[in-house]
Amino acid sequence: MLQGFTVPLTPQGNSALTPPPPWHYSSDCMAIEYWADPAAVAALLPPGMVPDTASMGRCFLWFLDWQFTGSNDELTDPARYQYREAFILAEARFEGMAVNYCPFIFVDNDAALARGWIQGFPKKLGSIFQTRSFAAPSPAAAPLATGSRFGASVSAHGERIATARIQLEEAIADPTTVFRRPTTIRRYFPRLTLTDRDKPPVNELTLSLTDNLTIVDLWAGSAELQLPEVRGEEMHTLAPLKVGRGYRFSMAYSVTDLQILKDYTA
Amino acid sequence: MLQGFTVPLTPQGNSALTPPPPWHYSSDCMAIEYWADPAAVAALLPPGMVPDTASMGRCFLWFLDWQFTGSNDELTDPARYQYREAFILAEARFEGMAVNYCPFIFVDNDAALARGWIQGFPKKLGSIFQTRSFAAPSPAAAPLATGSRFGASVSAHGERIATARIQLEEAIADPTTVFRRPTTIRRYFPRLTLTDRDKPPVNELTLSLTDNLTIVDLWAGSAELQLPEVRGEEMHTLAPLKVGRGYRFSMAYSVTDLQILKDYTA
Amino acid sequence: MLQGFTVPLTPQGNSALTPPPPWHYSSDCMAIEYWADPAAVAALLPPGMVPDTASMGRCFLWFLDWQFTGSNDELTDPARYQYREAFILAEARFEGMAVNYCPFIFVDNDAALARGWIQGFPKKLGSIFQTRSFAAPSPAAAPLATGSRFGASVSAHGERIATARIQLEEAIADPTTVFRRPTTIRRYFPRLTLTDRDKPPVNELTLSLTDNLTIVDLWAGSAELQLPEVRGEEMHTLAPLKVGRGYRFSMAYSVTDLQILKDYTA
Amino acid sequence: MLQGFTVPLTPQGNSALTPPPPWHYSSDCMAIEYWADPAAVAALLPPGMVPDTASMGRCFLWFLDWQFTGSNDELTDPARYQYREAFILAEARFEGMAVNYCPFIFVDNDAALARGWIQGFPKKLGSIFQTRSFAAPSPAAAPLATGSRFGASVSAHGERIATARIQLEEAIADPTTVFRRPTTIRRYFPRLTLTDRDKPPVNELTLSLTDNLTIVDLWAGSAELQLPEVRGEEMHTLAPLKVGRGYRFSMAYSVTDLQILKDYTA
């Protein structure tokens, strides 16, 4: 009997790209608030999703250092399961609900790539880095304190897609004053068969479900952001017209389910 | 209007993980014939696929240096589209037809990973290397000639999964005397929704269609092969009980379609 | 006027592998105490260094997630300057002084490789990972608390050289009860010229000088450790005969100078 | 007795970054002729080296896919010894001799990095790719034939430093009509000791000695080249003012010695 939540399916299920849910995550995050061309945001939205006119093109670029575990101490195998990620969340509306939509996301690990595709995150491989905050005091420590500077970047195939820097100014007591929209994504798996190529078997708008979502140690400050044009990518269509605040925080949640908002194949 | 053969879907379709078919490939290959435990091969076969009793567990481990292009000169962007691959083909039978089945495959590029999943190749990320044959004479050149030695290896997450070495003995005029079985794979995309998690939306047995398949410069020789046990992988269940010949050759084909042999969701 | 602390030397000095000292470092560390074959330790010691007979082959394998900065906010360019490292420290004596000697070290960044060679650390490239401790509570967070489990590994060229796991048991108030020996290294740069190949221009025993050395948040617990044999490496000659305690802590220091203990070229 | 041509020095000498000479190399190469600002070239030349006024800033940017072997079949361990490289050669004069000088070079392997430093090549880590020419006919094969297009790129720390494309027009019978200058480099190893930091122990102008240099299958054609400005690099100071021809060829040589042209420490 073959087992595995994903391929490769095997007798013991040990080769699968990712263990089955529940998937537990904890991370350190940098997020930069900014405004892109509202028409560029609108052009990336899937059917049924509309621009949030109040947002005026508001987006966040996130960088995340993630630790993952399933139910078998996967966190003690960091070579296989620890990873880094960067994505854009663009503000939009779906059936009246204020949401974020994720049009671009990069990750440096295949287990995370697989879990992403299964939820609808359009993950590609990238190389992602962010300044970390270390406990031992030093000019290199970047503590969570006023004046600390953090940098972050994402590259794909050796080309820099985004570079950000922030400088901390103040702690924010209540994270929900900053982050409160749920995240929607496009779950999509194509068909190669020539006769039905225009009928992808999986084509849905989904809502990311984050159990026990916790945000701690939120700091805000000033920010810089560049999204240069790179051949073979369209993320620069969401380049910043104006940059807002930068945030640094830690976040955790678990994934056990997925909500299908709309099935485009129906 | 959003475009792209895969996610991310964008207005211009330039961000998609892979350009749409036709997909053209040319490669240098090493393949090692060997025999695994027939019960281990049988345990990996999908429903409807049966062991080829005449094969006695015969497998080939392949290593491939690939160049890919679509219709827009992608071969001139090697940072994005050139890649390396390793996989096992195990001999089996489906409805009386002598076939190969691919239970394990590793690749070092996300465009190739995506194309693989779409066809049914259960690709994971790996680091793959093979000795190359260079034109300029040198002790380092490894020419296609009697006595030349080639090595190859595949690692995942920093652990060596397979190591092979071959030494060339003779050119083989007719490649079809060695390679003649079509390749079958399991196309599979899971469902995360809790209520239907046991009903994957895509679950098919497929047949890889290789237009204009060409094999040239085939040499055969002696071979060594190790598939050590690695935590988090089950490929070592197909470790060699006996090693046959080693082959070195070049291969090209194009992909424009996929044949569905069996739909397990029906 | 060409500038740079290292090559490449350029008009502005911006291309050099590393900025000039002072070099500031902060890190999260895992270290596993163990005992290797005392004869194997002795066989790796440079001239003038003798085994510490009381140590009975005692070594520590360290894993470090490092953040580096020079004087120009290098910590905000983590893609270039953040790195991971693993090394062995073996206990020995030099002119009566109880010291550590570093025979093997791996790092994943070229600036760190260069700084290491300049001090005497015999750095090679590797892929290093350790479980991190995150602030947001989750099964994936690995907090600094009794019962937390951490894993770490180092690989080179796709082969696993060492794998370790620890489980925290208790905080240690005074780090100097565990870590108190200074570190010695062999600074060595070979000569290629055929006529003088046996006369390396740089061949010294040096003492690593760590200004403002700080160790905080030290925890101890149980440990497991494997150092498998790998072709092309000799680190497995220091494989554990007995494993002691595992430690998890944070450490910072600065480097501005180097002490030459012995010049072997004299 | 400790052994090894480089660190780490060990009882068997197996851990050293590189085996001792002779070092044998065979490669596939792309080289783009171009003209940089002559003042920028002059600003990079070491003491005693002067601009070649006839050259008017002429440079070549090379991309190389290398296979290396020492005396122990290292070519069959490609994960450890196969590598890719990119460098600039700028035309200059030393004591009346027409030479090339190498101010910038990137490589993706630590054994090659070490061998480079020992000769004087100022190697840093990079990610390098070039289109390959495969034997099996396909739109992806890039044969050595009129009209074939090749691309190449080098990135460091996720930033693209150079991108090139060429299109083959004609075979060149005699490679010495294109490549005939010997290559000079700056062999340099710094001192960290505070009191003597301005006295590097190794500081020489050297001449690369290439035994049995062979160039075969030389083709020439049109070329494009970009060297964008990247923070933390100065290679863009040699960006092209004018681009000449592009070349594709194979090259082999062995290294057994090094000539010291000038000792700057004397």
Side-chain angles (χ1 to χ4, degrees), chain B residues 137-220:
Chain B
S138 156
L144 293 185
T146 302
S148 275
R149 285 185 294 276
F150 292 75
S153 60
V154 51
S155 299
H157 301 290
E159 299 193 78
R160 183 65 61 88
I161 305 172
T163 304
R165 282 188 175 75
I166 68 173
Q167 179 162 342
L168 302 189
E169 292 171 348
E170 54 171 347
I172 305 282
D174 180 2
T176 65
T177 59
V178 182
F179 303 109
R180 60 180 165 263
R181 288 173 181 240
T183 294
T184 62
I185 31 185
R186 178 85 171 262
R187 185 172 133 92
Y188 187 95
F189 194 75
R191 192 184 305 274
L192 178 58
T193 313
L194 197 51
T195 49
D196 291 306
R197 192 166 299 162
D198 57 342
K199 299 194 183 85
V202 179
N203 189 6
E204 302 167 327
L205 185 69
T206 69
L207 181 71
S208 170
L209 299 179
T210 51
D211 304 348
N212 305 316
L213 175 65
T214 310
I215 294 181
V216 301
D217 296 346
L218 175 61
W219 281 73

Side-chain angles (χ1 to χ4, degrees), chain B residues 44-170:
Chain B
L44 283 160
L45 299 180
M49 184 87 67
V50 296
D52 187 329
T53 50
S55 293
M56 308 283 289
R58 193 176 185 235
C59 297
F60 280 82
L61 176 61
W62 288 59
F63 297 92
L64 305 98
D65 278 16
W66 280 113
Q67 194 151 270
F68 164 83
T69 201
S71 302
N72 286 295
D73 247 7
E74 285 84 355
L75 82 169
T76 64
D77 190 0
R80 196 171 281 269
Y81 289 115
Q82 204 179 82
Y83 67 103
R84 292 164 170 183
E85 195 168 79
F87 55 72
I88 288 180
L89 296 182
E91 297 187 351
R93 287 197 168 257
F94 180 73
E95 297 182 351
M97 173 172 55
V99 299
N100 285 319
Y101 178 72
C102 177
F104 299 109
I105 179 166
F106 294 85
V107 72
D108 67 358
N109 171 275
D110 57 353
L113 192 83
R115 288 192 304 268
W117 287 20
I118 291 165
Q119 296 173 80
F121 287 102
K123 293 190 182 181
K124 298 170 66 172
L125 285 183
S127 174
I128 301 105
F129 289 90
Q130 66 171 280
T131 303
R132 292 171 55 176
S133 197
F134 285 91
S138 156
L144 293 185
T146 302
S148 275
R149 285 185 294 276
F150 292 75
S153 60
V154 51
S155 299
H157 301 290
E159 299 193 78
R160 183 65 61 88
I161 305 172
T163 304
R165 282 188 175 75
I166 68 173
Q167 179 162 342
L168 302 189
E169 292 171 348
E170 54 171 347

